[in-house]
Amino acid sequence: MAKPATRIAFVQLMIGAAALGIVGKSAQLQLGQRQKWADQAARERTRVEALPARRGSILDRTGVLLAQTRESYQFGISTNQIDDPKALSRLVTQSLKRPKQTAAALERDLRKLKYKFFYGPFSPTEMEQIRKQKGVDLTTEYQRVYPAPNLALGTIGNVSDGHGVSGIEKALDSLMTGVPGEQVMLKDHYGRKFESPSRPVRDPIPGNDVLLTIDAGLQEIAEHALDDAIARLQARGGDVVFLDPHTGEILAIASRQADGTVSATALVAPLEPGSTAKLFTAAALLRSRKVTSTDAVDGEGGAWIMEIPGKRPVRRLIRDAHAEHGPLTLAKAIEVSSNIAMAKFSERLTNGEQYEIIRDFGFGSKTGVEFPAEDPGVLRPLRDWDGLSRASIATGYEFSVTAVQLAAAYGSIANEGRLMTPTLVREIRSPEGTVIYRHQPEPVRQVVSPEVAATLREYLRGAVGVGGTGDQAQLENFMLIGKTGTAHQMRHGRYVNEYTSSFAAIFPADRPQLVAIVIIDAPKVGSYYGGKTAAPLTKRMLEEALAARESAINRNQLAEQDTTAAPPVATVTPAPAVAQAAPLPTVRVAWPYRPKAPAVAAGPVPDVSGLSVRAAATALHRRGFHVVLNGLQLVMRTEPAAGVTAAYGSTVTVISQH
């Protein structure tokens, strides 16, 4: 057994060694690893957080909000920092509009818990008083909201996780997203966060605002009329496009399905255009000077067997919906929409000439509109054509187009033969309101000469005149021109007994302002012909646009036009002038335009409270009132109020929720 002195010496030695170890470790931590542990402590005490940037808004061409980002909040309360739990409980209950009996339960939580969190989102108004209280910790969030949830939804698209996933939201995502900021937060031992005023903060930079070319009023009219037509005709769906032919600006674009689905088929779902494409073969004949105004072919009584010579001759039966006997000029063939006459006239063209005109009108390639996944349509290369292709394309088959492509092509006819690039974006503005981009019209090419374009417009005048297939589209006071289309649909490589009904219009006939394309997919009730379905729908939309006080139509220009004077007959040099069809009788009217006057000069304003803006505007238009919209949600009231007697033709302001 060791002596006590030895044991004491050993213990002292061990204590000394331990002390030396502690001193050595301290020296290592303080000198060798000081920065490492200081950095770790800073990371545990502080946290760098990203500050989200406000996404830019989307507006229509007049400044009506279509999409915007609103600030919202969640918040927590550090209970050890509050002085009066009872008063704070009452304030939170009142601000959040919670039942009064919840104040007592909240007070118990604030006295018992160390931290109380409230999940939102809560609006700035709800947080106005709460955020001023000691111990309240706010978390800011941004929500994307659409004031009129269904208006132009297929075109605008939507946002997920702060980024656009479809439509304009996706196409211009980088411009609208903005640049996130940074903030440094301090944390206590409970993990609660506190803003550090001494730490550097980088403020977020909001995204840019986008003004679309769309006119909200015209868009509303188009969507409502299309929905009604789909329901009435029991159609599968439909599309409407309004386009300014001189600038390429799309003023309205609506794509709807019978089940209520809002889509973008006008941009992404090509179809065979049917008889609306006959005008393009006529353009090829005129451009290549393969026809004169007196050239005619036999209508064959509505049925003709076309023979294609070769080692194995091909015979194909071509029919007309309206049997025509005797000679048909090119102008008459367009007027009555004769498949037989157009097939015969197309034999004067080479495959190359036919292909070039279809390509030059923009078919088979994307238009360049600012929309993701735009479909270019289908135009087969010349090597895949056969002996029947010219006749098929002359009658609107064997190639497919989107509604926007068709609108741009007819726009070139309205624009003296010049094809313009369609656009959905009018302006882009910085967060400060500075215009950093403004759309300038972008010509693609001169498809046909102004003289040929004038002749084609005369053909369209005949197509909507007395005896034309589109006469049901004609307005009472202002003349439009256009062409109907009715095409068999293909399923699984075979044509079936379903149809695409369409109408392409230019309004007005002289000094055009609008091109309208209407497509009805597979109508089942009543007639399926474009002249009986799409043409009347076009008329209704234009009448409503003229009746609305705020409209994309330039009324001053309309008022200057002499609606009784016949325009000059266009000529094609050196071929003789093409005979024009007799124009519809027109009358001179006073301006501003008024819908048909009712039997009395005044009447009560109908009660439209609780209705959608769309339904309210329609009801007021039908009573003969002009409409001004104040908001795009459910209608709260009107000025003058419901029941007040007002003169027909006067203005009623529709005030809705914001």
Side-chain angles (χ1 to χ4, degrees), residues 261-273:
T261 303
V262 178
S263 60
T265 53
L267 287 154
V268 301
L271 47 85
E272 290 181 307

Side-chain angles (χ1 to χ4, degrees), residues 190-488:
Y190 292 115
R192 296 173 298 192
K193 294 182 294 184
F194 305 92
E195 186 175 351
S196 172
S198 63
R199 299 287 180 168
V201 174
R202 186 179 73 231
D203 292 330
I205 301 174
N208 300 304
D209 295 333
V210 175
L211 271 73
L212 300 182
T213 59
I214 288 173
D215 180 274
L218 190 59
Q219 180 75 24
E220 184 79 16
I221 289 170
E223 291 183 1
H224 180 44
L226 184 57
D227 283 340
D228 285 352
I230 291 172
R232 176 171 46 83
L233 299 169
Q234 294 184 17
R236 185 183 294 118
D239 302 295
V240 170
V241 176
F242 282 96
L243 177 126
D244 183 330
H246 307 295
T247 64
E249 294 183 349
I250 296 174
L251 303 174
I253 179 169
S255 297
R256 322 286 280 189
Q257 303 298 315
D259 61 2
T261 303
V262 178
S263 60
T265 53
L267 287 154
V268 301
L271 47 85
E272 290 181 307
S275 294
T276 56
K278 289 174 178 172
L279 203 67
F280 309 132
T281 293
L285 289 161
L286 293 171
R287 188 171 77 170
S288 58
R289 296 179 172 84
K290 295 292 182 69
V291 70
T292 69
S293 61
T294 57
D295 288 349
V297 295
D298 197 316
E300 305 289 352
W304 176 57
I305 297 177
M306 181 180 182
E307 295 188 7
I308 306 299
K311 293 182 179 179
R312 293 184 179 180
V314 177
R315 295 162 61 88
R316 175 179 176 183
L317 176 63
I318 299 179
R319 292 183 178 276
D320 280 337
H322 312 285
E324 295 290 336
H325 299 272
L328 296 173
T329 63
L330 185 57
K332 189 67 175 179
I334 297 294
E335 177 184 324
V336 300
S337 198
S338 172
N339 294 327
I340 293 171
M342 292 308 300
K344 288 184 175 183
F345 276 121
S346 71
E347 293 182 319
R348 303 185 181 195
L349 298 169
T350 65
N351 284 358
E353 289 170 333
Q354 182 88 328
Y355 175 85
E356 285 175 5
I357 198 71
I358 300 300
R359 181 201 60 194
D360 287 353
F361 272 112
F363 303 121
S365 59
K366 294 183 179 181
T367 66
V369 69
E370 307 88 347
F371 193 86
E374 182 196 4
D375 198 294
V378 177
L379 176 59
R380 296 186 302 155
L382 275 173
R383 62 177 178 271
D384 295 334
W385 287 32
D386 57 30
L388 296 173
S389 293
R390 284 201 310 274
S392 295
I393 287 177
T395 54
Y397 292 94
E398 281 199 24
F399 74 109
S400 62
V401 307
T402 64
V404 169
Q405 284 178 323
L406 194 59
Y410 267 79
S412 69
I413 295 167
N415 190 35
E416 305 301 336
R418 180 176 292 184
L419 180 68
M420 308 299 291
T421 301
T423 182
L424 284 164
V425 178
R426 184 177 176 89
E427 285 183 1
I428 297 175
R429 296 178 181 173
S430 70
E432 296 76 27
T434 303
V435 176
I436 58 178
Y437 167 83
R438 178 174 287 123
H439 171 72
Q440 298 296 327
E442 300 177 30
V444 179
R445 68 180 65 88
Q446 188 76 33
V447 183
V448 295
S449 68
E451 293 77 17
V452 170
T455 301
L456 294 173
R457 292 197 296 273
E458 289 308 308
Y459 290 172
L460 294 178
R461 190 183 296 267
V464 294
V466 177
T469 57
D471 59 344
Q472 291 193 22
Q474 200 53 256
L475 299 172
E476 180 178 353
N477 298 314
F478 299 100
M479 187 175 188
L480 62 75
I481 56 179
K483 182 72 187 74
T484 60
T486 308
H488 273 280

